Amino acid sequence: MPITGPNRDDKDKANYSEFIYCEGFAFKLNQVESFYHEPTDERDGVTIVNLRSFKQEIADPKRKLFDFLMKRFHPITPDEAR
């Protein structure tokens, strides 16, 4: 399973306080340190988000949160294919 980390640009280092709400989970993008998606069976899946102070597992069967984070951070190429 690929584990990705944000590949932030210089413009992303600015402090901002906008919260993102996705799949019932509210967080600040500048607090995200890493994230990955873990399929649990054919119908379900969880996205695990490591924030600066804690780790959160979010039910994400359609990979909406994971795909949003992938697009937002332009992550480093994962070591494994989906």
Side-chain angles (χ1 to χ4, degrees), residues 5-62:
N7 189 10
R8 294 184 172 94
D9 294 331
D10 287 335
K11 64 181 170 140
D12 293 334
K13 292 181 182 176
N15 292 330
Y16 53 89
S17 62
E18 294 94 16
F19 281 88
I20 303 297
Y21 184 78
C22 185
E23 296 295 314
F25 178 55
F27 62 99
K28 291 183 181 181
L29 284 173
N30 63 355
Q31 298 290 315
V32 175
E33 291 187 343
S34 64
F35 56 91
Y36 61 96
H37 185 80
E38 185 174 297
T40 53
D41 62 27
E42 291 181 11
R43 296 173 298 153
D44 297 326
V46 252
T47 295
I48 291 88
V49 180
N50 292 312
L51 300 168
R52 289 185 183 165
S53 58
F54 65 96
K55 177 171 118 176
Q56 182 71 38
E57 293 184 9
I58 301 97
D60 192 15
K62 295 183 181 178

Side-chain angles (χ1 to χ4, degrees), residues 56-71:
Q56 182 71 38
E57 293 184 9
I58 301 97
D60 192 15
K62 295 183 181 178
R63 296 174 54 112
K64 289 181 183 179
L65 176 60
F66 181 75
D67 290 341
F68 169 77
L69 291 170
M70 290 287 284
K71 288 178 185 175

